[in-house]
Amino acid sequence: MRVAPGLNTYHASVADIGYGFDAVQGTISRIRQGESIDLATEILVFDLDTLRISEKQLRPNFELAVKRANPDAFYLIEQSRYLHRQIFEAIKEAIRLGRALLGPEWETIRAKIEGIQAIPRL
């Protein structure tokens, strides 16, 4: 299914989202331990907003991939959709908390890092 016609192979995978969650947790953990990290808030905003982008890319690719699935895979497809909704809710909550933590600084930082977000995907 991963190579179904129309799929964008540069779009996010579930592994990208898992890596993104790990990156956010790692940054938060390092900050909590008192480590001095240059650009810590920028890293946090970058990681959280990249998770948002990855989630938006995952959904259409998934639907294209399962378009021609056999009926025996329908149960797994529905389970995957359910898990995707949970991932989406977790990302949405993480971003809400990040915005609450940083206030108006969130948008200022996000605007600065926007131009470099595409680099990891190239």
Side-chain angles (χ1 to χ4, degrees), residues 58-114:
L58 185 65
R59 191 175 328 165
N61 249 14
F62 176 79
E63 293 305 326
L64 277 172
V66 300
K67 204 172 198 174
R68 297 183 188 159
N70 295 328
D72 59 341
F74 288 169
Y75 173 76
L76 292 174
I77 291 167
E78 284 309 308
Q79 287 300 307
S80 293
R81 284 186 179 121
Y82 171 75
L83 292 171
H84 183 253
R85 282 191 299 276
Q86 287 183 317
I87 289 168
F88 171 71
E89 290 302 321
I91 291 170
K92 194 166 82 173
E93 178 65 5
I95 290 172
R96 185 190 69 74
L97 291 170
R99 285 176 179 258
L101 175 69
L102 298 174
E105 189 181 5
W106 172 274
E107 280 305 319
T108 304
I109 294 169
R110 201 196 62 69
K112 284 194 303 189
I113 57 108
E114 191 173 43

Side-chain angles (χ1 to χ4, degrees), residues 2 11 19 31 33-34 39 45 49 56-57 59 64 71-72 75 81 83 88 92 96 99 103 111 115 117 122:
R2 212 167 148 72
H11 275 194
Y19 172 77
I31 292 169
Q33 292 172 4
L39 305 172
V45 172
D49 200 52
K56 284 184 180 287
Q57 293 176 338
R59 191 175 328 165
L64 277 172
D72 59 341
Y75 173 76
R81 284 186 179 121
L83 292 171
F88 171 71
K92 194 166 82 173
R96 185 190 69 74
R99 285 176 179 258
Q117 281 181 309
L122 297 177

